[in-house]
Amino acid sequence: MKIAVIGAGVVGSLIARELCKYDAEVLLIEKNMDVGWGVTKANSAILHAGYDDPVGSVRSKFCSLGNAMYTELAKELDFEIKRTGSYVLAFNDEEISVLHKLLKQGEVNKVPGLELHDRDEILSREPRVNPKVKMGLWAPTAGITEPWMIAIAAVENALENGLKLFLNEEVIGFEKSNGKIKKIITNKQEHSVDIVINVAGLFADEISKLAGAEYVPLHPRKGQYILLDKKLGKIVNSVIFPTPTEKSKGILVLPTIDGGLLLGPTAEDLPSDRKHDLTTTSEGLQQIKDFVLKLVPDIDFSLVVKTFAGLRPESPQKDFFISASRTVQNFINVMAMRSPGLTAAPAIAKYVVEDLIQDQLKLTLKRKRNFKSKREAIKKYTQLSLEEWQEVVARKPSAGRMVCFCNEVTEAEIVEAISRGARTLDGVKFRTRAMFGRCQGGFCMSKILKILERELGTDASNITLKSPGSWIVDGKVRE
Amino acid sequence: MKTDVLVIGAGAAGMGAAIAAAKRGLNVVIAERDEITGGILNQCIHNGFGLHYFREELTGPEYAERFREQLEKLSDRIKVFTDCHVLKLGEDRKALLVSPKGILELEAKAVVYTSGARERPFGSLMIPGDRPSGIFTAGVAQRLMNIDNRKVGHRALIVGSGDIGMIMARRLTLEGTEVVAVVERLPYPGGLLRNVIQCLKDFNIPLYLSSTVIEVKGRERLEEVVIANVDEQFKPIPGTERSFKVDTLILSVGLIPQVEMLDGLVQTDRRTKGVACSNIGQSSREWIFAAGNCTAIFDLVDYVTKEGERAGEYASRYAMGERFSQNVPISPGENVMLTFPNFYNAVDDLTLYVRCKKPMEKAMLKVGNFEKIFEDLIPSEMIVAKIPNQKLSGLDRIVVELKEV
């Protein structure tokens, strides 16, 4: 059995890994140069508790389930999660009534531990939030993580279990016979397949159209973000939400897993032809500033280190669309993965493999005997004890050469990231957090460029930031 | 391992400090995180260094070399650790040094912190638009060109007319990268007049004053930069937009003192954003001294060396058991944007560095009983005044004022 997953975002990567638990040939095809670089790369990085998904929605079915699965998954795949808990804050009676509704909805959705807190309790846990707050919905299971790291970890583990990964390869067509897909045609080659799982993020509707299967139309909803210096990381301890509106969960204030502070996202619906529009706008950034100050009044915007935008795929139904196609017998859609797609991802992966493929398509997959469930993260040497670190450096001097000073990343970690598949500056950055700190690569970028050059046996001119056209330097100043 | 004085950073301030301490007969360890000593001087291959200190004009590497030679001469007392990052410094005066040679705990009697500054990154400017490659800070571009021998682009726009921005405009032009413009937010150039002439006018590079970048475009490599004029509050004026097709954007928009390693150990100054120091380089924690761009951003490396030497000298005196009395706070008054040092200790004279708030034709600097006239003042050019001890005696607070005359 040959199963192809199209799209190596967090959902696609987890599906691919789940498939690798069975005796099947698994292909993962991704058009970007690395995994997790589409929708996965830029979102709020939150594990949602699951109280704000409408009862009966597909979202509600998978959110709290996925949330719970992350504890085990993070251990198996060795990525970081922090159960920070979250607050939805209410500042007036109208908002308080929304909190009551969310509490009820959360209880039906089986979200554990929800509580309504009064002003004093909120301020004792979160002393920097606006003291005008009246009530808050506390969700202890909410947390934060690093979405791309989950995709990276899942793919690394899947590769060890036999996955075939095709990066920088775009699906451009399908060859069908008897209502089934026989071959996937990419810009590079053809893959003959038995099952196709479409997890192509923002472009999943177009892939489905190419396959002649059902789909929901997708349009991008843009979210702009502001990332601030670690000096502000402790200004809040948990994820701070405003009271949600019909349209979105609002603009949040939250700590990032590596100690920074993240503000955002905006929610701007774009037409479906703007799926590449990752621009920030002055209006968007201003909107974030204005909004967050109502939640946490003293944020010092001179400590901004980065602004960016992400796109999430939204459908008219505002719900996930996960189903085996009725018209194309061996085609499965996993699309419209808007919020809380990241949280739901592990539950969706399990559902696709166990329920859709085995129960609905009636295809029997046999469990592999020798599936290796564990993956180890790149070792962070600063977390070792002095003695352990000394021992490592004696054997491997590069573990003592600090390359990124802001986030304390050594040369050994960067070399390891490259050996695990980083081919670009962003590839190194998302695997190691080098260049992610307050100087944004000011001190280490040129050094990392050289390490990439050396490890890949190429010239710096061939190394890019992210995409094939995003060159950094072009040739030498003088011979 | 133990030492008398640990110097963190081997740039202009650190080398100055280490040499001063060793000359007093102390044992010094100097820890530099880069592969060689010299700091940012190594990438500044243009001339103009040393006019005050050596009374001759040197390039950055030449200036660094002079001090490197002295470090070598004093090698029986100064241990130079390069490729060596100080991971942390504790209240117990122990530093954790990390290098490919090993991880080392070092205990010092006094520390001179000279970690310099970092550049304000692109992200902090909150410029809307895409996030393509081809956007560099001036220092990164300078390092790539001057040390790594790499061409950073073909057509460039430079933001910021400070000395670094203008020098990069000339450097890029000389190396075959076309510089289409230098853009400055202020209504006057940010750097020295000599650089306006030698780096921009001589090469016909236009300087757009009261202008700012309002958007960057390009999905992969940078393709276009849009600028606009700004009003007095630096808000872009609609209708004044102008677009440039460039593949490179160089940012020279300010330096931030690096103080993070000392978080929780010392006080920083609200205005300089650097380590708050007295005129002898002593911080709020008596055994930590600091100098150079980690205390305040200086105009000239010559000043940095002087400050480093002073901090090195007093750190050694501290290490030998001398203690220094109460400090008098120094604060900016009329027309003064910032002053350095932040405190005054009567054990020495005061070398005062002042930045004015606005351009002034002629102004009287008043500090205690000291008065001196300065001409053609601009905020980007530091005023330096040596104020003798006796002019400041008996003050419990020193206010620095510039009165227009």
Side-chain angles (χ1 to χ4, degrees), chain B residues 121-332:
Chain B
F122 172 76
S124 70
L125 304 180
M126 301 232 263
I127 296 171
D130 292 304
R131 297 293 173 261
S133 68
I135 301 174
F136 303 93
T137 58
V140 170
Q142 195 175 47
R143 188 178 173 110
L144 286 169
M145 278 174 85
N146 296 350
I147 294 185
D148 299 340
N149 191 28
R150 291 294 174 181
K151 188 157 182 169
V152 295
H154 307 282
R155 256 170 80 85
L157 183 111
I158 296 177
V159 186
S161 66
D163 292 318
I164 308 169
M166 293 194 286
I167 286 162
M168 281 304 288
R170 174 177 64 186
R171 180 87 191 106
L172 285 159
T173 308
L174 291 171
E175 293 299 356
T177 299
E178 187 188 350
V179 177
V180 298
V182 174
V183 175
E184 171 59 55
R185 204 166 72 123
L186 295 167
Y188 46 86
L192 303 170
L193 185 64
R194 74 165 195 233
N195 281 329
V196 178
I197 296 160
Q198 292 170 8
C199 299
L200 304 184
K201 291 228 166 88
D202 288 357
F203 294 91
N204 294 319
I205 298 169
L207 171 63
Y208 294 97
L209 296 172
S210 296
S211 300
T212 193
V213 171
I214 57 163
E215 194 180 359
V216 292
K217 297 181 186 177
R219 254 174 65 194
E220 301 192 9
R221 178 76 186 198
L222 180 68
E223 288 165 21
E224 191 180 341
V225 174
V226 184
I227 72 167
N229 296 347
V230 292
D231 62 20
E232 273 142 31
Q233 276 80 48
F234 303 119
K235 286 249 185 287
I237 302 168
T240 63
E241 296 84 3
R242 195 191 307 242
S243 169
F244 296 89
K245 298 275 182 205
V246 289
D247 60 21
T248 306
L249 178 66
I250 309 270
L251 299 169
S252 175
V253 290
L255 299 173
I256 309 164
Q258 300 210 98
V259 296
E260 287 75 16
M261 196 197 299
L262 301 184
D263 275 352
L265 280 174
V266 303
Q267 284 168 19
T268 52
D269 182 74
R270 190 169 57 84
R271 289 188 182 81
T272 60
K273 302 204 187 299
V275 180
C277 281
S278 71
N279 56 320
I280 58 170
Q282 193 173 31
S283 75
S284 59
R285 189 159 297 249
E286 57 171 15
W287 54 275
I288 299 178
F289 293 73
N293 282 345
C294 68
T295 61
I297 304 303
F298 288 86
D299 282 1
L300 298 179
V301 72
D302 309 61
Y303 302 156
V304 167
T305 297
K306 282 278 183 203
E307 291 304 309
E309 287 175 346
R310 203 181 337 260
E313 185 198 325
Y314 281 93
S316 342
R317 284 166 65 170
Y318 179 86
M320 288 190 289
E322 200 174 332
R323 292 294 175 266
F324 306 104
S325 59
Q326 204 62 39
N327 292 320
V328 180
I330 304 173
S331 57

Side-chain angles (χ1 to χ4, degrees), chain B residues 8-24:
Chain B
I8 300 174
M15 291 195 292
I19 291 160
K23 280 186 175 163
R24 298 185 72 87

Side-chain angles (χ1 to χ4, degrees), chain A residues 216-227:
Chain A
V216 286
L218 300 178
H219 71 269
R221 171 173 284 183
K222 188 191 279 191
Q224 300 189 41
Y225 290 91
I226 300 177
L227 179 68

Side-chain angles (χ1 to χ4, degrees), chain A residues 305-323:
Chain A
V305 293
K306 193 179 175 67
T307 59
F308 60 96
L311 299 172
R312 37 215 202 264
E314 185 66 288
S315 68
Q317 293 75 18
K318 301 185 191 305
D319 203 357
F320 303 157
F321 181 77
I322 305 169
S323 70

Side-chain angles (χ1 to χ4, degrees), chain A residues 177-455:
Chain A
S177 77
N178 299 326
K180 272 184 152 182
I181 291 168
K182 290 286 165 202
K183 277 181 186 169
I184 296 175
I185 303 154
T186 74
N187 59 346
K188 288 188 176 162
Q189 57 190 315
E190 295 179 0
H191 304 277
S192 50
V193 286
D194 297 308
I195 304 174
V196 178
I197 306 171
N198 171 25
V199 206
L202 273 169
F203 302 89
D205 55 347
E206 286 158 45
I207 292 289
S208 204
K209 259 187 255 179
L210 271 181
E214 315 85 327
Y215 64 91
V216 286
L218 300 178
H219 71 269
R221 171 173 284 183
K222 188 191 279 191
Q224 300 189 41
Y225 290 91
I226 300 177
L227 179 68
L228 293 102
D229 192 285
K230 285 180 187 175
K231 282 177 189 165
L232 286 177
K234 291 196 172 66
I235 200 168
V236 292
N237 304 307
S238 53
V239 180
I240 308 294
F241 291 93
T243 306
T245 60
E246 283 293 299
K247 198 178 160 205
S248 87
K249 295 191 177 91
I251 295 174
L252 338 171
V253 178
L254 70 145
T256 63
I257 197 114
D258 62 338
L261 184 75
L262 187 64
L263 312 174
T266 56
E268 305 154 48
D269 284 304
L270 304 182
S272 58
D273 61 353
R274 278 171 63 189
K275 291 178 178 176
H276 292 288
D277 181 351
L278 287 166
T279 56
T280 56
T281 61
S282 45
E283 298 76 21
L285 298 174
Q286 191 60 46
Q287 195 194 340
I288 299 172
K289 277 181 159 181
D290 295 343
F291 201 97
V292 295
L293 291 173
K294 290 179 205 153
L295 294 177
V296 181
D298 55 351
I299 294 172
D300 179 358
F301 285 96
S302 73
L303 293 171
V304 171
V305 293
K306 193 179 175 67
T307 59
F308 60 96
L311 299 172
R312 37 215 202 264
E314 185 66 288
S315 68
Q317 293 75 18
K318 301 185 191 305
D319 203 357
F320 303 157
F321 181 77
I322 305 169
S323 70
S325 167
R326 280 189 295 272
T327 51
V328 184
Q329 292 166 38
N330 59 344
F331 190 82
I332 293 171
N333 269 317
V334 183
M335 59 196 291
M337 304 305 299
R338 40 112 64 211
S339 178
L342 168 65
T343 315
I348 292 169
K350 202 158 178 276
Y351 171 79
V352 167
V353 178
E354 290 181 5
D355 294 62
L356 287 186
I357 296 182
Q358 308 208 67
D359 287 0
Q360 286 193 35
L361 295 182
K362 306 281 180 227
L363 294 164
T364 315
L365 292 169
K366 215 177 105 206
R367 282 254 177 198
K368 249 184 219 167
R369 281 234 188 102
N370 54 351
F371 176 75
K372 298 181 208 81
S373 63
K374 295 253 180 197
R375 169 261 182 192
E376 264 183 56
I378 296 176
K379 189 156 256 123
K380 289 191 175 75
Y381 293 98
T382 48
Q383 288 172 2
L384 296 181
S385 73
L386 187 58
E387 294 72 28
E388 285 175 304
W389 197 358
Q390 276 167 336
E391 233 171 79
V392 180
V393 174
R395 275 184 286 119
K396 186 161 65 173
S398 60
R401 180 173 288 121
M402 204 56 78
V403 175
C404 164
F405 306 125
C406 301
N407 284 344
E408 292 165 348
V409 183
T410 62
E411 182 177 1
E413 288 157 70
I414 290 161
V415 170
E416 177 68 25
I418 297 166
S419 80
R420 292 186 188 206
R423 293 291 173 270
T424 57
L425 284 180
D426 270 358
V428 170
K429 173 172 162 176
F430 286 109
R431 280 176 179 78
T432 63
R433 294 179 187 161
M435 301 176 277
F436 235 128
R438 55 173 62 104
C439 88
Q440 292 281 296
F443 291 109
C444 62
M445 188 274 262
S446 64
K447 293 180 182 176
I448 292 169
L449 194 61
K450 278 188 182 164
I451 298 171
L452 273 162
E453 195 178 25
R454 182 189 74 209
E455 295 296 313

